[in-house]
Each structure stands twice: as structure tokens, then as C-alpha cells.
Amino acid sequence: MNTPISTLTIGALAKSAGVGVETVRYYQRRGLLAANGAHRGAFRVYGMDEVARLRFIRRAQALGFSLDEVSELLALDEETDRERARAFAQAKIADVESRIRQLEEMRGALQGLVSCCEHTEAPAPCPILHALANAAEPPARE
Amino acid sequence: MNTPISTLTIGALAKSAGVGVETVRYYQRRGLLAANGAHRGAFRVYGMDEVARLRFIRRAQALGFSLDEVSELLALDEETDRERARAFAQAKIADVESRIRQLEEMRGALQGLVSCCEHTEAPAPCPILHALANAAEPPARE
DNA sequence: GTTGACTCCGTACTTCGGTACAGGGTTTAG
DNA sequence: CTAAACCCTGTACCGAAGTACGGAGTCAAC
């Protein structure tokens, strides 16, 4: 009766968020999760607060935040940092949108090559390879 | 009169495609560019064919192809590999589109959080941080 | 004939987010 | 009591696409 309900070993914690044990340890090394806390015998045990924190990390990652950014998000206070959290999210939206635009440019260029290829008669050199080999401009540096 | 026009040193070759010398050497190590060829004295020199090849590499990269994929593209023949080149480009389009969709999902989720934040009255805990801390489901594994 | 810019070769380091051991110790179910 | 399953610490490695650096050689101009 002195095993308080819901204290987990590292393996159970990891499973609760769908990650591997090594990932949890990695987050501890990075300071995203506390490395020392309650122990039961020789093993570290984790409570529901740490389950929540780990899930927070994974959700923020799924939204496109890097682990460094997740650190910053974790340091924000729900009560007093609303402005900052919103600015953070808006900056990430801008970031995601610029990546989308870049990919859309690639898609457009690729589609142009493919449709050109489809409209060229058979006994001609491949327009795709030809375009790659002989485009107008050298791609800008960077 | 025996310095044939347009044979370049590695530095000039690199500049002609807007990359660094180390990058050219890296492509040589990867087998994208030939490591041995004409020399003038102790230094390797490069011709227009190699300028074209280097630019081909950069352009294919800009379209989203990895260097491994660029190797495969370089191995294709303009005359006989039209089908393969087109299939390659179409596969890359699918790939780019799936990345776009993933980013659009992120953007949608972020926008939802931000607009929720904008519609909440001031003296309340931050809905963004709150959502990260208390979402419905743990994100699926993988 | 010397200075400065360039080249050669080899190796090591970078970022990012983990993953994979190795070589122990501990716990717990049967 | 023993064996499986789990945990601990520490270190090394992965892929991708380069970047950095050391130490030496060489080339071109003045």
C-alpha cells in the first residue's frame, strides 16, 4: 500500500508518450526533463507531471518546434507569458509557410519538366535531363 | 597558345557554380564528379563539361533531389532513359507534395492555437501552452 | 626571388534528433 | 533460487551535406 498509484519507471514513462527509453534519456541530457528526482530503490521513478511534460515535448515537436524551441516553450508561464507564446506560434507559422512556399516552387518546376516531357515526341532527347544539363542561369549561391 | 581557353582550376570551377572549393572536393569524394582528369603542372584543371556537370548537380538539388538521387540522374542517358527520368521526377513530386501536406497540417494546428489565443479574454491562462500541456491524445508512435 | 594566393591531401568536426551498444546492477515472477 | 526483464552510466554511432583545418607544395606577379 505504499506504492503510490501512478509512479512509473522510465520504460513505462517512455511508453506513455510513445517514445523509446533512450529518447527519454536523451531529453534528460538536453535538460528538457529533469535527470534526478524520486527514486524507488535504485531506480528513478516518474509521476504524472513528468508524463505531461514529455507529452508536451512531443506535441510541440509535432507542430514543428525544434527541441531548443521546446525548451523555451517549457520555460514560459501559462499565466504571465501569453504574449510570448503567441508570438512564438506566429513566428513558427511564418517559418512553416516559407518552407511550404519553397516546396511549392520545387513542385512547380518539377511539374513543368514532367509536362514538357509528356508533350515531346518520342525520338527526342529527354527534356528533363536536358533541362538539368542546360538551364539558363547557374543557381544563385546559397 | 597552348593554354586552351576555358580550362579552370578548382577554385574557378567552384565559383562558376556558386559553391565552395570544399564542396567540389566533397562531390568528388562522393563520385559525383571525377576526381582525376587533366592536369596543368601539379594542379587539376577542369573543362566546360565539368562546369555543366556541377551545375546539373546544383539544379537537381534545388529541385529537391538528394545527392544519392542526383547520382542516379547523372547515370541516365538523355536519349534512352526518358521513361526513367520522368518517373523519377513524378516520384519526387509525390514526395514534395507529402511534405507540403505535412507542413500544412502543422500550419493549421498552429493557426488554431493562435486564433484561440486571440479570442480568449486577458486574465486567463495561455491557451497555447495549455493546449500543449493538456491535449486529448498522446501523439501516435513514430 | 619572394610574397601572396592558390592547390593538394587527409582527417576531423558540425547540426539534429535520436539510436545502439557495453558492461554492469536490480527487481520481480515463478 | 533463479532467470527474465528491466534499469543504470557512459560512450559511440547514424545520415545528410557539407565545413574547417593543418601542413605542405606550387604557381603567377612584381
Side-chain angles (χ1 to χ4, degrees), chain A residues 22-23 26-27 29-30 41-43 58 61 66-67:
Chain A
E22 297 302 327
T23 301
Y26 175 68
Y27 292 166
R29 286 201 296 282
R30 301 245 339 196
F43 296 167
R58 298 303 285 187
Q61 263 189 310
S66 71
L67 292 183

Side-chain angles (χ1 to χ4, degrees), chain B residues 45-65:
Chain B
V45 290
Y46 302 85
M48 281 308 144
D49 50 336
E50 313 209 63
V51 172
R53 197 173 169 94
L54 179 53
R55 288 188 182 170
F56 181 107
I57 294 168
R58 299 302 286 187
R59 281 191 292 259
Q61 264 190 309
L63 292 175
F65 292 98

Side-chain angles (χ1 to χ4, degrees), chain A residues 17-90:
Chain A
V19 303
V21 168
E22 297 302 327
T23 301
V24 172
R25 286 196 211 289
Y26 175 68
Y27 292 166
Q28 290 176 338
R29 286 201 296 282
R30 301 245 339 196
L32 294 166
L33 295 171
N36 31 29
H39 279 256
R40 190 164 52 201
F43 296 167
R44 171 92 157 81
V45 291
Y46 301 83
M48 281 308 145
D49 50 336
E50 313 211 62
V51 172
R53 196 173 170 93
L54 179 53
R55 288 189 183 171
F56 182 110
I57 295 168
R58 298 303 285 187
R59 281 191 291 259
Q61 263 189 310
L63 291 176
F65 292 98
S66 71
L67 292 183
D68 276 355
E69 289 167 338
V70 174
S71 288
E72 294 187 59
L73 285 173
L74 284 166
L76 296 180
D77 183 297
E78 267 193 45
E79 304 301 328
T80 66
D81 288 326
R82 287 188 51 166
E83 296 298 321
R84 242 168 300 189
R86 197 169 58 196
F88 220 143
Q90 275 162 341

